[in-house]
Amino acid sequence: MRHIISVLVRNHPGVLSHVVGLFTRRSYNIESLAAGVTENPDVTRITIVVTGDDLVLDQVMKQVNKLVDVLNVTDLKYDQAITRELAIITVKTTLQTRGSVIEIANVFGAKVVDMSEDTITLELSGTERVLQNLMRLLNPFGISEMARTGMIALAMKSSE
């Protein structure tokens, strides 16, 4: 089963390594990981997306929660969270295909952030599903490069 784990930690060097190390020692494959400062500069939120056995994950979360610099660990349910990811995608184009790529980008609300004679670079933030749908439609043109941030998430307050 897939999980979105939100970990609030004190903003110290090495904390990320300790948290990730616990997942590594349990052979949990991390699909994505994003870390950034919260509204409090002394606190960092680490968002980890993993797939695996619920029992093992429960044990890992309990161990993470015992780390000195960990303030809170939450397993966010996808349907009760606001999730976003940022992608920057460079697509091969020709004079004949450029309009189609821009049209697809516009449908998804992607921004054209760079353009050369034979490429267009797009920026899009959205849910994982939106990003995957955009990439699926751009694949026939040829994606030459892509960078993704990994998922970030917050609990949806309206569903509490």
Side-chain angles (χ1 to χ4, degrees):
M1 183 168 195
R2 193 162 193 235
H3 295 269
I4 304 166
I5 310 300
S6 178
V7 185
L8 291 175
V9 298
R10 288 187 182 87
N11 194 0
H12 292 289
V15 173
L16 180 62
S17 174
H18 290 138
V19 171
V20 172
L22 286 175
F23 284 87
T24 302
R25 284 193 288 280
R26 290 291 185 156
S27 299
Y28 242 88
N29 184 36
I30 295 175
E31 290 181 20
S32 76
L33 181 136
V37 174
T38 65
E39 69 284 357
N40 179 348
D42 297 329
V43 176
T44 294
R45 179 182 307 276
I46 303 170
T47 306
I48 304 169
V49 178
V50 294
T51 302
D53 180 73
D54 289 351
L55 184 61
V56 175
L57 181 64
D58 187 53
Q59 292 171 347
V60 172
M61 287 179 56
K62 286 177 181 170
Q63 290 175 344
V64 168
N65 216 8
K66 290 179 182 174
L67 292 173
V68 173
D69 289 317
V70 171
L71 304 172
N72 187 12
V73 180
T74 307
D75 184 1
L76 296 171
K77 306 297 177 225
Y78 189 81
D79 61 345
Q80 297 171 356
I82 299 165
T83 63
R84 294 293 182 271
E85 190 173 344
L86 171 68
I88 301 172
I89 306 166
T90 299
V91 183
K92 296 175 188 173
T93 60
T94 62
L95 282 176
Q96 293 76 30
T97 62
R98 183 170 296 158
S100 297
V101 170
I102 291 172
E103 189 174 312
I104 291 169
N106 287 339
V107 168
F108 285 86
K111 291 183 200 171
V112 175
V113 292
D114 191 32
M115 188 179 300
S116 71
E117 290 180 14
D118 56 356
T119 64
I120 293 178
T121 301
L122 305 171
E123 169 192 317
L124 177 65
S125 69
T127 63
E128 185 176 43
R129 185 177 336 150
V130 168
L131 295 178
Q132 288 173 344
N133 285 339
L134 175 64
M135 288 183 292
R136 182 177 48 80
L137 292 174
L138 294 176
N139 264 333
F141 298 98
I143 294 176
S144 62
E145 252 185 320
M146 181 175 64
R148 294 173 68 168
T149 59
M151 186 183 298
I152 57 171
L154 285 176
M156 195 178 319
K157 298 297 181 192
S158 61
S159 67
E160 291 181 344

